[in-house]
Amino acid sequence: MKYYIIAGEASGDLHGSNLMKALQREDPQADIRFWGGDLMQSAGGTMVKHYRELAFMGFIEVIFNLKTILGNIKFCKHDIEQFKPDAIIFIDYPGFNMRIAKWAKQRGIPTHYYISPQIWAWKENRIAAVKRDFDKLYVILPFEKDFYENKHHFPVEFVGHPLIDAIHNRVEKSQTDFIRENELEDKPIIAILPGSRKQEITKMLSVMLSVANDFPDFQFVIAGAPSQERALYEPFLKNKQVHLLANKTYDLLSHASAALVTSGTATLETALFKVPEVVCYKGSWASYQIAKRIITLKYISLVNLIMDREVVTELIQDDCNTKKIKTEMQKLLDPDYRKKMLADYDLLEEKLGGTGASEKTARLIVRNLK
């Protein structure tokens, strides 16, 4: 069968690559065309566009790039018409994917959504469009099944979280080999995960690295996004305590003692690697003012949302400053504080439903199409 997959971000590229491998096992004749990144490309199939051409964050940034976004939507529709897929599989990226899904559904193309839109966070009125435009929904967070089925009477499949597979299936290097191969210092590591988009990286690194000199016994290692060039990070590498590792986030988290993490999927990845973390977020003033008026969640990190309580500290906007980051970092290095957080991380992993998310999803997609 022919599958058209659309993933618009780095996390979607990771989960899309594992889903593609699982689809190929379930359907050896699978012909896959996709929007994604390097990981999906390595899994096979034909790449149409790289997600680095699609990533715009914040309300104001989207407005400034509206012409490009609309052009991508038009191009995507044309490409789907030419490919004539048996199904389209959407991975997260709701602003783009929900527009394509509405169009595809009207043309009778089966629509499957893996990693559903976070309408439980904002724009809950999108539930009408979800019910109308998607044949099947595969959710990865435990509370999403209750949200869709009990609150909105829309049946979904809870498949577990694909990050668990991605982390459990990897081969870990020793600390000595990791430091030697990456030319790092023989010091404990504080991982810095500033995001994957240019706007957030430049904004977050300035404040995250402002505490580097306060922790001379540690080295600060930036997780470079695979979609960005080294030149973007160069201004932040003048401090000898600061290093950059491009496209090696999981290796970095495997050996980190603590982490400063921009809100997003990375907060959950860090927790699943059992690394104590502080969650940081600082957006443009205009985007933040809009967001805080329409998002009613108690927390911004997936860790706290899934646990429904504060497990990791969140420093948002004005609270994301040098003084508070330093204070929270000192807590992360306290043995008793770390022990409690790590125990909470174990409970978090239990809630996420174990391994096999990609296989479960691929099996359900192929079965539904047959």
Side-chain angles (χ1 to χ4, degrees):
M1 285 183 284
K2 298 170 73 173
Y3 306 89
Y4 198 98
I5 304 177
I6 306 174
E9 298 174 298
S11 59
D13 180 38
L14 171 64
H15 304 320
S17 68
N18 289 327
L19 179 63
M20 286 169 67
K21 293 171 188 174
L23 278 172
Q24 289 158 354
R25 288 191 290 271
E26 289 291 323
D27 177 8
Q29 304 304 313
D31 181 6
I32 301 174
R33 190 169 174 86
F34 65 90
W35 296 45
D38 298 342
L39 294 175
M40 292 175 74
Q41 191 165 37
S42 68
T46 302
M47 183 158 69
V48 181
K49 273 187 182 288
H50 199 288
Y51 67 78
R52 71 168 66 95
E53 300 179 53
L54 312 175
F56 303 105
M57 68 171 292
F59 302 96
I60 303 303
E61 291 82 2
V62 167
I63 291 172
F64 285 151
N65 292 282
L66 193 57
K67 184 177 179 181
T68 300
I69 294 168
L70 293 175
N72 284 333
I73 290 172
K74 182 179 179 181
F75 173 77
C76 184
K77 291 175 180 178
H78 175 73
D79 196 58
I80 291 170
E81 285 179 328
Q82 297 297 308
F83 186 58
K84 296 180 174 58
D86 294 292
I88 304 176
I89 302 169
F90 303 92
I91 301 179
D92 202 1
Y93 199 50
F96 187 92
N97 277 336
M98 291 187 72
R99 286 175 172 82
I100 300 297
K102 180 180 179 181
W103 170 88
K105 184 70 173 180
Q106 291 169 349
R107 283 152 182 79
I109 306 172
T111 51
H112 295 251
Y113 213 153
Y114 177 44
I115 308 178
S116 64
Q118 297 178 347
I119 62 173
W120 40 264
W122 68 300
K123 289 192 176 181
E124 192 168 340
N125 60 354
R126 281 181 167 183
I127 186 63
V130 169
K131 287 182 173 182
R132 181 191 67 215
D133 298 333
F134 295 99
D135 296 308
K136 297 293 179 181
L137 205 61
Y138 310 96
V139 300
I140 63 172
L141 299 172
F143 59 79
E144 290 180 315
K145 188 172 179 66
D146 176 69
F147 172 83
Y148 282 107
E149 295 191 343
N150 296 334
K151 186 173 183 179
H152 292 292
H153 313 293
F154 183 61
V156 301
E157 297 281 356
F158 173 59
V159 295
H161 207 293
L163 278 179
I164 295 177
D165 290 325
I167 291 169
H168 283 206
N169 293 339
R170 53 187 308 282
V171 177
E172 191 171 310
K173 296 179 180 179
S174 71
Q175 182 90 356
T176 302
D177 288 343
F178 173 72
I179 287 176
R180 185 185 68 251
E181 289 177 13
N182 294 288
E183 300 180 348
L184 299 175
E185 300 174 73
D186 190 14
K187 286 182 176 182
I189 293 168
I190 294 175
I192 305 295
L193 279 65
S196 60
R197 304 178 181 95
K198 284 184 180 180
Q199 298 101 318
E200 66 183 346
I201 290 169
T202 52
K203 186 175 288 288
M204 295 309 304
L205 278 180
S206 294
V207 65
M208 286 173 154
L209 293 173
S210 66
V211 301
N213 291 332
D214 295 308
F215 298 90
D217 295 331
F218 291 82
Q219 56 185 322
F220 287 67
V221 183
I222 303 167
S227 58
Q228 303 299 340
E229 300 294 332
R230 182 181 176 87
L232 179 66
Y233 301 94
E234 285 289 356
F236 304 98
L237 302 178
K238 295 175 183 177
N239 187 326
K240 292 183 179 179
Q241 275 182 260
V242 179
H243 308 273
L244 173 70
L245 283 187
N247 202 17
K248 293 185 179 181
T249 300
Y250 281 12
D251 286 344
L252 173 58
L253 288 174
S254 294
H255 300 286
S257 299
L260 295 174
V261 187
T262 298
S263 63
T265 305
T267 63
L268 185 56
E269 291 173 311
T270 303
L272 291 174
F273 271 100
K274 306 303 186 329
V275 181
E277 66 182 299
V278 177
V279 176
C280 305
Y281 178 76
K282 201 176 186 73
S284 69
W285 182 87
S287 290
Y288 176 71
Q289 293 303 316
I290 296 170
K292 75 176 185 178
R293 285 165 173 76
I294 62 176
I295 298 176
T296 58
L297 296 175
K298 289 188 289 184
Y299 307 108
I300 65 167
S301 70
L302 282 172
V303 175
N304 292 343
L305 284 169
I306 293 166
M307 295 294 284
D308 196 27
R309 59 185 172 87
E310 186 177 87
V311 171
V312 297
T313 298
E314 299 178 351
L315 299 178
I316 306 170
Q317 209 64 9
D318 291 340
D319 284 336
C320 187
N321 59 57
T322 302
K323 182 179 179 181
K324 291 195 174 183
I325 292 175
K326 178 182 176 182
T327 298
E328 294 302 325
M329 277 297 309
Q330 289 169 332
K331 289 182 186 177
L332 292 188
L333 303 176
D334 175 77
D336 291 335
Y337 190 87
R338 293 171 64 86
K339 184 177 179 181
K340 182 179 183 305
M341 187 177 288
L342 293 174
D344 284 332
Y345 283 174
D346 290 337
L347 294 174
L348 170 75
E349 187 165 347
E350 286 180 24
K351 282 193 168 214
L352 288 174
T355 60
S358 301
E359 284 73 17
K360 292 173 193 171
T361 305
R363 194 177 308 122
L364 288 166
I365 290 172
V366 173
R367 184 185 303 164
N368 285 323
L369 289 175
K370 287 182 177 177

